[in-house]
Amino acid sequence: MRAYLEEDAIDLLRAAAERHRGHAALSQVYGLVARNLGDMTTACAALSRAHQRAPADALIAHGLARARIEAGLPAIDAYQRALQLAPADGAVILGFAAARFAERDVDGAIDNIAAIVERQPLWLDGHATLARLRGMAARDDDMGSYRRALAQMPQAAALWQAWLATLVAAERFTEIPAVIAAARQAAPATPGLDLYEAVAADETGDIDRAGGIFDRLPYDDNIAVIIRKVRSLLRRDRIVEAAALAERSTTLAGGNGLWPYLALAWRLLGDPRWAWLEGDAAFVQVHDLGDTIGDLEALAARLRSLHIASAQPLDQSVRGGTQTDGALFLRIDPEIRRLRSAVDKAVAAYIAALPPPDPTHPLLGVRRRPVRFAGSWSVRLTDGGHHTDHVHGQGWISSAFYVALPPGVGADDDAGWLTLGASRALLPDLQPLRRIEPKPGRLVLFPSTMWHGTNRFAAGERLTVAFDMARLI
């Protein structure tokens, strides 16, 4: 179990690093701890000093490159130095591609990964990254690297599995049956093919066939299979079975991902435990921050400059828009830092207003100090854009902050509004519990396990920031 004592260590490390400025490892650790606390100015300075003292240390060089890209600083040169020291390190190679993408060398980022995957067809992280980059750049045949690699190595079960996993993450379920058929012919022992067949059938409307496969699939303690089986049971209106399976599985590793489905099942069953799980008024809070973050238009301009992609990410809920890459709140841009400062205060107020701790509850059972961000990003939706209903099962508290909105949103109907408590792709007749009107400067905070989505709007731009607070156990 981690102690999360970085706040207690940072002053000691600062003093030690200042006293022993020639000690590379001390400066490195000081920089890494500052990075964990979100102080990227300090992190970059300390890691730069460490790199100057130990220019041949590959880990320090990589740490500096990563800190610079996270801070929003030019990082290509730093990654090139790291690559000279660790030319075969996959994390450094992928970071270099991210740095090129961030500095708008989209073609260079894609071509570099593509060339390496061509030489090393079993590099699964490379395939997944290449698919994501090609998708964000709106390139044709974004999954083509899998196809080409399998033409060379048709018996490579790991490649078939990776391709199928990427298709599931992208929710491209109609493409899955053809890949399964090819895998069964070329590598019939590939694990998981029955599961992928059931998932594809379930998500494309063939729920009875999917259910037949799920009913005979062993699941043991495999949370991924259990979640898919629960989804199938809900779709087939076997609500009691879905609830029972989810209830006895929440304590397994990864079992936090079952609470969103329990919320749906308990609502459908009229089970009073739903009120304990999601019904407290303190669980959803609205904070208007417009007066505390300065010029919203300056923030909007900064965010627009970060939307480099041409299309939505493959594995996110965004439809008809783009999403920034990397951890937004680690950037040192003054507009971002002002927003983060206001968000810090709002999150502290949210936590202070929560009911007492309850170790059995997915929101109330999490330690409340220290507070860490698990991720932060911006989404820019345009004409007809929306978010599909989804959850952030690995987070603790999730959010939506509105920066710019289309004219007229919220005036006459709920176009562009945030919806909570519905999973319309799974249960189309179950209505949202709450709809929240977006307003520039408004922040909405809610449990990460709560279903949320965004209604379509006709035209214009809907620019938001979102983040998750980390679930620290």
Side-chain angles (χ1 to χ4, degrees), residues 265-307:
W266 283 346
R267 275 181 66 196
L268 291 168
L269 294 171
D271 192 312
R273 288 177 293 179
W274 174 85
W276 165 83
L277 179 59
E278 290 192 340
D280 196 295
F283 291 172
V284 178
Q285 297 179 24
V286 177
H287 298 257
D288 288 310
L289 308 181
D291 294 337
T292 64
I293 61 171
D295 185 353
L296 267 178
E297 185 48 47
L299 174 60
R302 172 59 62 193
L303 292 173
R304 291 184 188 110
S305 74
L306 304 179
H307 281 270

Side-chain angles (χ1 to χ4, degrees), residues 194-196 198 212-220 225 229:
D194 287 345
L195 173 61
Y196 285 116
I213 300 172
F214 278 122
D215 286 346
R216 66 174 183 267
L217 271 181
Y219 53 87
D220 300 320
V225 178
K229 185 176 178 68

